[in-house]
Amino acid sequence: MDLNETNLQTLTEFLRKTLDPDPLVRRPAEKFLELVEGNQNYPVLLLTLLEKSQDNVIRVCAAVTFKNYIKRNWRIVEDEPNKISDVDRTTVKANIVNLMLRSPEQIQKQLSDGISIIGREDFPQKWPDLLTEMVTRFQSGDFHIINGVLRTAHSLFKRYRHEFKSNELWLEIKLVLDTFAAPLTELFKATIELCQTHAKDINALKVLFSSLTLITKLFYSLNFQDLPEFFEDNMETWMSNFHNLLTLDNKLLQTDDEEEAGLLEMLKSQICDNAALYAQKYDEEFQPYLPRFVTAIWNLLVSTGQEVKYDLLVSNAIQFLASVCERPHYKNLFEDQNTLTSICEKVIVPNMEFRSADEEAFEDNSEEYIRRDLEGSDIDTRRRAACDLVRGLCKFFEGPVTAIFSGYVNSMLAEYAKNPSMNWKHKDAAIYLVTSLASKAQTQKHGITQANELVNLTEFFVNHIITDLKSPNVNEFPVLKADAIKYVMIFRSQLPKDQLLQAVPLLMAHLQAESAVEHTYAAHALERLFTMRGPNNSTLITPLEMAPFTQDLLISLFKALSLPGSAENEYIMKAIMRSFSLLQEAIVPYIPTLIGELTQKLLIVSKNPSKPHFNHYLFESLCLSIRITCKANPATVGSFEESLFPVFTEILQNDVQEFVPYVFQVMSLLLEIHSSSIPSSYMALFPHLLQPALWERAGNIPPLVRLLQAYLEKGSSTIASSAADKIPGLLGVFQKLIASKANDHQGFYLLNSIIEHMPPESIMQFRKQIFILLFQRLQSSKTTKYIKSFLVFINLYCVKYGAIALQEIFDSIQPKMFGMVLEKVIIPEVQKVSGPVDKKICAVGITKILTECPAMMDTEYTKLWTPLLQALIGFFELPEDDSIPDDEHFIDIEDTPGYQTAFSQLAFAGKKEHDPIGETMGNPKILLAQSLHKLSTACPGRVPSMLTSSLNTEALQFLQGYLQAASVQLV
């Protein structure tokens, strides 16, 4: 694509069409852009457009398109083509910083993100001048430019907050500090001076305070990994200014908006974070400054209102106190009873109140409320911070704090009892207080695992929780009902089983509540109870105990999906999946109805998949239905295919990318259940599964390989007789996979199935070429993973076709190659093979080479016979060699490169590990002894003399043990 007016015009038209609400206009335009983005100059055209276009909408659209293009394509993935030419990469890096700084804020943000994506991959090695280019702009005096630099630096450096320590990271941070720390400090001081100069100019203050907020964020990122020497030397400058900013109150910067945090609140919130970081990590160095920060933050807390705009500030301020009170040497600051009472009264209790803003979220924005309350993304809420402070105080002052709060809890419950309909928020706060007091340690799997012994959880449950759950009107006081359900859920490991069983039918009743939060909590609580394990590792609640409720449970769960706002509620779908898993064959009578409901739901969501978790649990539920029903009666597999295939066909025809990998997994499950020949409906699909386009997406590869393995297992003779022309296509897939370091193991899975199941004559003509391809890859890029798979394959080939066939095919490629493979690959590397099935295949294969290959006894290969036997005995007796060469970046089997949709494994579509050797061979050590005995009988005297002359003593002792166990001897 040349950089000319015509192409700019075409690009403008297509970008405009991507904004069209009509999908018939929008989708073809998106497809066109997808098609041309691989061309040279495409990113440069986008940058030119966002700089020169007269239409602001097009400029913003070009900026967003550019950022997404960079996000998808900038990373260079091993084994995959480079999606952006080197010329374009250089041009983009040469121009983007300048362009970003000259652009209006809306575009600046997009380009800043683009720079940070490129920086993640290229900085500092491939983009060494990025920082100096940015730092020189601090001198410009133009705060629009300075803020652009700060914003970009923030998005570039914030990853230091969560990266694991490594030499590479330390070197990068050192480089950043050497270039950036001093100019940043000078800018910080200059900006504060300017704030004093322009204290009466609201417009100037807005820009300057934006800069200060970004500077304080950068301070946090640069100090997160360790305390840099520069910042330690300049701590007085930073900390005294931070303290002054915390106590600053400029009326001009206060906002009238009750919801949206203003610049002053955002700046103070970040300073609280910075102070908490220093208090936690660098307490010794921070000690001189701590008392004045505690005082300033305490004053801030007691003087800040309840409005939503202060939430982040208050929660960060409380988190600061929480991090301080947990440290042993700050204990003295909190020891006084009056201090504790004051903190409880003035900070904790007021911030645990359920405010009208929380009530609005509960009613009108249930998804966000649930995300905050259930999933722990409430990190920035007042309640969560107050909870953490309670936990922190309980570390050293559990007795006094529990006593102070018990008084509050009792008075709140008394207030509620006086007038429940008016005072229900008092009970809500009381439950929240009890929960935060009682919770010492918590996990996602078990709920609260360690509780405060001073709080009687069972008594509180009986007196205050069960009453709300038993209330006949499930729609009355929905917040209290949700609180009660949540109490059962989080204290499930602490409450006795009979109380949990008592709660099950009550929770089921709440599945019909109108409140989305309430019925979602009920589904989630049931799902968590059903996963609990009893003493013998079976489920705590048994199918038998659930028998009286089975029908009602299934009806209630499916009805809950039709409640407003819950059509795609992931918690309900997960509860359905978990119920199926718990109830097992008890669901069989209901399957015809259930499968109809699930299929209908699948048809609807496949039109526009938007909830990945919901969709995942939906497919898991389908797999469970199939597994449970077909386990009882395998013949029912046909009725599942009748129900599901029409929807599956539609998904595959419309190429619903999110669902295609799931469909392949469910089809594999169905096909694996068939006991006889492969149905014609599957054979009609077979040619389509070999189309190259399907294999381009990383997420399709594991399920497609598994599906092809199922085809080979169930229909190899059908493929050989009626689809023989497709065998080259099948081998083409293997060839593509074997060339990739990320997917070569999948290529071997496929190849092993071909060798194991296909009639030998059908692949005779391709065998030599297969081996040649494997050797080419072995020579071009040898990895540990590849060698392990290669060893399993050649031994499987030996087991299937015999040792003579293996030796002959190697030597037909190149004379004496069989000996080279034994010497250079099998003998030195076999110790790396892991997994019981793979080890068994290798043991049986090597035994066959030793005892069923005449060339090993009568040619120059004979010198390798004892080393090979020595390697096999070591394979049996020595620990597995899991070392990886230093220069090898070991790609684990689960690693998925790039930004593509990752493959989501369905747990309930799981494939049983297949053992191609089966039980017939028995113990490989006994097999070795028996095979050696047989060999020695055929050529008396040879085997013992070879053993005594060159096998080491220890190996010989082990071998004697195998011979004794097999009751045989060598002659």
Side-chain angles (χ1 to χ4, degrees), residues 14 57 102 218 275 283 637 696 820 879 888 935:
F14 278 100
V57 173
R102 291 203 318 270
L218 284 164
D283 44 8
V637 68
E696 289 304 320
M820 284 191 281
E888 183 184 318
L935 177 68

Side-chain angles (χ1 to χ4, degrees), residues 685-754:
L685 183 67
F686 184 63
H688 301 286
L689 300 179
L690 306 175
Q691 287 174 352
L694 269 183
W695 295 87
E696 289 304 320
R697 284 187 219 135
N700 284 351
I701 291 172
L704 260 179
V705 166
R706 179 183 167 189
L707 183 54
L708 288 180
Q709 284 182 288
Y711 270 87
L712 289 161
E713 188 190 333
K714 300 293 177 183
S716 51
S717 52
T718 314
I719 293 170
S721 58
S722 62
D725 58 329
K726 297 293 174 280
I727 295 173
L730 196 58
L731 292 167
V733 169
F734 149 74
Q735 185 175 354
K736 177 183 166 56
L737 295 173
I738 216 79
S740 149
K741 280 187 189 172
N743 296 315
D744 50 16
H745 62 288
Q746 296 286 350
F748 276 112
Y749 293 163
L750 188 57
L751 180 59
N752 292 349
S753 289
I754 292 170

Side-chain angles (χ1 to χ4, degrees), residues 8-149:
L8 285 170
Q9 196 49 48
T10 309
L11 198 53
T12 304
E13 282 166 27
F14 278 100
L15 285 172
R16 187 167 281 115
K17 284 178 183 170
T18 62
L19 303 171
D20 198 298
D22 180 357
L24 296 174
V25 177
R26 188 178 69 250
R27 284 201 185 120
E30 289 168 347
K31 279 267 184 267
F32 171 81
L33 292 177
E34 227 174 274
L35 209 63
V36 299
E37 71 173 24
N39 295 345
Q40 192 166 334
N41 282 333
Y42 176 75
V44 185
L45 279 164
L46 283 172
L47 289 178
T48 310
L49 205 55
L50 71 85
E51 182 184 15
K52 297 193 171 157
S53 173
Q54 300 304 304
D55 184 337
N56 203 40
V57 173
I58 292 298
R59 291 181 71 192
V60 174
C61 185
V64 174
T65 307
F66 174 82
K67 180 190 75 177
N68 291 334
Y69 163 82
I70 292 294
K71 192 174 178 180
R72 274 197 311 276
N73 300 308
W74 195 273
R75 177 180 290 182
I76 297 172
V77 179
E78 197 172 12
D79 297 329
E80 288 189 18
N82 183 350
K83 294 174 185 165
I84 304 177
S85 73
D86 290 341
V87 178
D88 282 352
R89 286 173 186 272
T90 308
T91 310
V92 166
K93 285 192 287 196
N95 294 298
I96 189 167
V97 175
N98 212 357
L99 188 54
M100 180 269 295
L101 297 174
R102 291 203 318 270
S103 300
E105 194 170 331
Q106 212 177 356
I107 293 169
Q108 195 178 70
K109 280 180 176 164
Q110 300 298 331
L111 292 179
S112 173
D113 285 349
I115 292 170
S116 70
I117 294 163
I118 298 170
R120 258 204 308 273
E121 303 298 325
D122 288 15
F123 175 78
Q125 277 80 13
K126 296 184 196 167
W127 203 358
D129 52 353
L130 170 63
L131 269 194
T132 39
E133 191 181 349
M134 283 163 56
V135 167
T136 52
R137 308 304 172 107
F138 284 166
Q139 314 306 322
S140 67
D142 178 342
F143 272 85
H144 173 71
I145 289 175
I146 289 169
N147 280 356
V149 172

Side-chain angles (χ1 to χ4, degrees), residues 901-917:
T901 319
F903 160 62
S904 295
Q905 171 77 54
L906 289 168
F908 294 110
K911 185 183 180 191
K912 284 207 293 285
E913 189 171 26
H914 172 63
D915 180 356
I917 291 173

Side-chain angles (χ1 to χ4, degrees), residues 61 65 135 149 201 220 302 330 410 474 529 592 602 615 630 687 716 728 776 917 959:
C61 185
T65 307
V135 167
V149 172
D201 180 347
Y220 189 88
V302 293
Y330 299 145
N410 291 333
V474 293
L529 294 184
L602 178 58
N615 299 334
C630 294
S716 51
Q776 284 170 346
I917 291 173
L959 185 59

